[in-house]
């Protein structure tokens, strides 16, 4: 029998499209089980400041399609300290909040895991980041939308690449992971893809450029965390070595984090939101709800934080075969 009466919900770390759909799902699932819900604004920063708002069903109307997060998000240095977490605990107790759902990435889960080991308030996590870099879930909320955003942007850039016979180096996000670059690269037919998970791609890129003969329009997708360098840096090296190429650079940046979530991200967020509330009612703590083979799974925070998620490197061969 669950003792939980009031659930706090927060978004933490970088925003991702679909976070609002997840907030909506948590609120409505909790209300369905006769639990009260409190929104914690600005992630752990708001938890420390006591920036809380009650959430009713109508408060999450008309948000499933909106990017960003209605609760706001933040990165909080203070939550990394024991004193900060003690303040946060005092505020949760003061508002009779006896369980929390945190929507964020591995940093947010690290904070939640630490907090739950120190204080008697259970946390369940929902994976929300465009990077898709969390072990224990096939997809994170926001990744699919970011892929579609990148593909749309690259399609547009390719028009100019073709019209002017140019080589574009396009840098995409992903922090230390290459999921966005690899999957969007295949989806938009990139000629080469540079990702952090593979060494020695500089040579492969040179081999490709030397072998490609007179193909003059190229899209090279560069994951921001790759080992060769940022798009600007690689482009300037290539310009020196191959002066005949008309080289341009595009860093897509934060446009990848915004916009209305895709159908898949809304669906994923809705399922994970319901699963997170179910998990809390089932007395689970310090776990992430994930989505593996189209089913809900529970993964301990420790496991998702300490295990790196494998990227399928065979997909680089797929990209390579299709680029020639
Ligand atoms: P993400 O959740 O997207 O990975 P961050 O890495 O910025 O984003 O983490 C979000 C927040 O989680 C941090 O600003 C901090 O408040 C908290 N956090 C991260 N790591 C820890 C930690 N080791 N201990 C306590 N809190 C942490
Ligand atoms: O984790 C999401 C992400 O967008 C990464 O892809 C990127 O490296 C980082 O956040 C950027 O963070 P900020 O918005 O703080 O510049």
């Amino acid at each position: 029998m669950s003792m939980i009466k009031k659930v706090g919900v927060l978004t933490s770390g970088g925003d991702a499209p679909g976070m609002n759909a997840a907030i909506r799902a948590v609120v409505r699932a909790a209300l369905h089980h006769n639990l009260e819900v409190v929104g914690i604004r600005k992630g752990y920063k708001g938890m420390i400041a006591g920036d809380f708002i009650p959430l009713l069903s109508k408060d999450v109307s008309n948000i499933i399609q909106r990017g960003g997060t209605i609760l706001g998000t933040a990165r909080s240095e203070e939550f990394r300290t024991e004193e900060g977490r003690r303040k946060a605990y005092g505020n949760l107790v003061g508002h009779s909040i006896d369980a929390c759902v945190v929507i964020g990435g591995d940093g947010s889960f690290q904070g939640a895991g630490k907090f739950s080991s120190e204080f008697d308030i259970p946390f369940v996590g929902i994976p929300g980041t465009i990077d898709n870099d969390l072990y224990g879930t096939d997809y994170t909320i926001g990744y699919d939308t970011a892929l579609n955003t990148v593909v749309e942007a690259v399609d547009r850039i390719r028009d100019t690449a073709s019209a002017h016979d140019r080589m574009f180096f396009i840098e995409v996000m992903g922090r230390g992971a290459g999921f966005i670059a690899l999957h969007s690269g295949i989806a938009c037919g990139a000629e080469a893809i540079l990702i952090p998970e593979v060494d020695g791609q500089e040579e492969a890129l040179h081999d490709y450029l030397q072998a490609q003969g007179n193909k003059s329009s190229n899209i090279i997708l560069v994951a921001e965390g790759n080992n060769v360098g940022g798009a600007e840096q690689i482009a300037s090296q290539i310009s020196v070595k191959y002066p005949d190429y008309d080289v341009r650079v595009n860093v897509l940046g934060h446009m990848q984090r915004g916009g209305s979530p895709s159908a898949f991200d809304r669906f994923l967020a809705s399922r994970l939101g319901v699963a997170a509330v179910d998990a809390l009612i089932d007395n689970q703590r310090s776990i992430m709800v994930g989505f593996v083979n189209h089913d809900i799974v529970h993964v301990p925070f420790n496991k998702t934080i300490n295990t790196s998620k494998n990227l399928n490197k065979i997909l680089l061969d797929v990209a390579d075969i299709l680029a020639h």
Side-chain angles (χ1 to χ4, degrees), residues 247-264:
V247 172
R248 294 289 189 279
V249 174
N250 253 266
V251 178
L252 296 186
H254 288 84
M255 68 173 298
Q256 295 161 91
R257 288 237 296 259
S260 181
S262 65
F264 180 75

Side-chain angles (χ1 to χ4, degrees), residues 12-14 44-45 74-81 85 104-112 114 128-129 175:
S12 169
Y44 294 128
K45 212 173 185 175
R75 296 196 163 103
S76 162
E77 280 310 306
E78 205 180 347
F79 197 76
R80 292 176 188 272
T81 68
R85 293 193 294 277
D106 61 339
S108 302
F109 297 164
Q110 268 183 51
K114 201 167 257 181
T129 163
R175 218 183 276 258

Side-chain angles (χ1 to χ4, degrees), residues 39-63:
I40 300 166
R41 285 199 179 110
K42 301 273 173 207
Y44 294 128
K45 212 173 185 175
M47 197 181 272
I48 291 171
D51 192 358
F52 300 164
I53 40 161
L55 290 174
L56 302 175
S57 184
K58 68 175 170 43
D59 298 317
V60 292
S61 290
N62 208 13
I63 65 167

